[in-house]
Amino acid sequence: MTVFGFHASHEQIHPAELLKAVVHAERAGFDAAMSSDHFSPWSARQGQSGFAWSWLGAALQATNLPFGVVNAPGQRYHPAIIAQAIGTLGAMYPGRFWAALGTGEASNEHITGDGWPRKELRNARLRECVDVIRALLAGEEVSHDGLVTVDRAKLWTRPEQPPALIGAAVSVATARWCAEWADGLITVNAPVDHLRQMIDAYRDAGGRGPLHLQVHVSWAPDQAEAEAIAYDQWRSNVFAPPVCWDLDTAEHFDTVSEDVPLEKVTSTVNVSADPGRHVGWLEEYLELGFDQIALHHVGQEQRAFIDTFGTEVLPKLRTTG
């Protein structure tokens, strides 16, 4: 049975309101939750960016949901610190936490003042970070000299079972590469053929573990309102790599997205006032075999979305999935 989660978007919502939303999502019938981890929003209109790891401790305590987070170790975060954060949450909330690891975006990582590496170097850096994090979670003392440097690090607080480290990918090539090291795969909604190619590439390369999908949706009682929400909040998020990886600031994203047409947004976000239409889209993803689907309503007000999907979308998917 596919798990349906609530995606907590720190770039858009104050962390106190986001905590209320995830508590409400559990009561409304969502099975799990997932968290972003940004230093900067994608747009000044989004206007927030709370620290995910502080919030995750509060959210795990306030609910009984399993949680995941998408993180980019290697520049803004030292991998030993991320291993400590993963290990502590895993020790406090056994079996309820996983972390997806990716190569990141310049908009979050440039704050260190270090140069933004080429993609192949970011991949190599992430691979080193994965090995460091795994070794630390296994109780080893780690020293490492490479694209990241670690000196005699050891985790003194660890969970009995290390949390899963999931590979984050948006391309077929990256999905295939993640199969070398990941305990599962996570991606975002895209055309079904592309998602199928990613899954096949991951599995054919020996990829193990669950398949996660984050789905961007915009719902409102009125179609024009649903479209307006998506256009206001998500038109800065429609750019394919390498643009989305390499722009530095929210101001840059706002400038390049000034003239984005609505049709570009609706190709990235599933926009409809009809809950049945959302059921249809999600059924297509279910047929691909995803084990967990995290729903991200791209609006800043979450309660009506949570209530509507809790009563009119999730029950129908559970009867078919």
Side-chain angles (χ1 to χ4, degrees):
M1 182 70 72
T2 300
V3 171
F4 293 97
F6 170 81
H7 177 72
S9 179
H10 286 279
E11 311 93 283
Q12 299 178 270
I13 302 168
H14 188 283
E17 293 303 313
L18 206 52
L19 185 60
K20 294 176 186 176
V22 77
V23 168
H24 188 62
E26 181 180 32
R27 293 171 180 163
F30 284 76
D31 306 310
M34 185 179 127
S35 171
S36 60
D37 181 4
H38 279 243
F39 194 86
S40 171
W42 303 94
S43 166
R45 294 182 306 279
Q46 293 176 348
Q48 297 288 336
S49 222
F51 184 55
W53 295 91
S54 299
W55 184 88
L56 280 162
L60 281 156
Q61 182 64 29
T63 71
N64 292 305
L65 298 173
F67 274 77
V69 66
V70 182
N71 175 262
Q75 186 159 331
R76 177 172 47 127
Y77 291 117
H78 191 279
I81 299 301
I82 291 304
Q84 186 183 31
I86 293 171
T88 297
L89 290 179
M92 292 180 70
Y93 304 102
R96 290 180 55 200
F97 184 68
W98 53 269
L101 304 178
T103 56
E105 297 100 9
S107 61
N108 299 309
E109 310 305 325
H110 77 89
I111 62 167
T112 64
D114 297 324
W116 180 234
R118 300 186 307 275
K119 183 64 165 77
E120 65 269 23
L121 291 177
R122 301 200 303 272
N123 281 358
R125 182 172 67 182
L126 175 60
R127 191 68 181 82
E128 291 183 17
C129 288
V130 169
D131 290 344
V132 167
I133 292 168
R134 283 202 189 282
L136 288 168
L137 289 171
E140 300 174 23
E141 181 180 281
V142 176
S143 294
H144 178 83
D145 296 287
L147 294 170
V148 293
T149 301
V150 185
D151 179 46
R152 294 167 293 174
K154 179 179 178 179
L155 290 186
W156 293 90
T157 298
R158 296 182 295 112
E160 291 186 12
Q161 182 67 35
L165 302 181
I166 307 296
V170 294
S171 72
V172 173
T174 301
R176 184 179 299 110
W177 174 71
C178 286
E180 298 175 11
W181 59 265
D183 298 320
L185 182 72
I186 187 169
T187 189
V188 297
N189 60 291
V192 168
D193 286 346
H194 178 73
L195 293 175
R196 184 179 293 111
Q197 290 175 38
M198 289 186 66
I199 292 169
D200 289 346
Y202 180 72
R203 293 300 193 204
D204 290 348
R208 63 185 185 274
L211 301 172
H212 294 256
L213 179 68
Q214 180 187 354
V215 179
H216 303 304
V217 309
S218 183
W219 174 88
D222 175 76
Q223 181 67 23
E225 183 183 356
E227 292 172 355
I229 288 169
Y231 192 74
D232 176 72
Q233 284 292 294
W234 217 247
R235 70 176 180 268
S236 55
N237 294 64
V238 299
F239 303 104
V243 174
C244 59
W245 293 336
D246 292 345
L247 291 184
D248 285 342
T249 66
E251 290 76 16
H252 289 164
F253 279 97
D254 281 337
T255 297
V256 300
S257 62
E258 283 180 355
D259 299 318
V260 166
L262 177 62
E263 293 74 19
K264 183 69 172 174
V265 179
T266 57
S267 70
T268 304
V269 182
N270 292 344
V271 181
S272 181
D274 178 10
R277 186 82 188 280
H278 288 284
V279 170
W281 280 318
L282 291 165
E283 284 177 339
E284 292 183 336
Y285 305 139
L286 284 177
E287 291 174 1
L288 292 173
F290 284 101
D291 300 288
Q292 185 166 145
I293 296 177
L295 300 175
H296 170 213
H297 172 51
V298 299
Q300 292 178 304
E301 298 297 328
Q302 295 289 311
R303 193 174 186 92
F305 153 74
I306 290 169
D307 288 338
T308 298
F309 274 61
T311 58
E312 300 185 43
V313 175
L314 299 187
K316 293 180 181 178
L317 292 170
R318 290 182 177 122
T319 62
T320 61

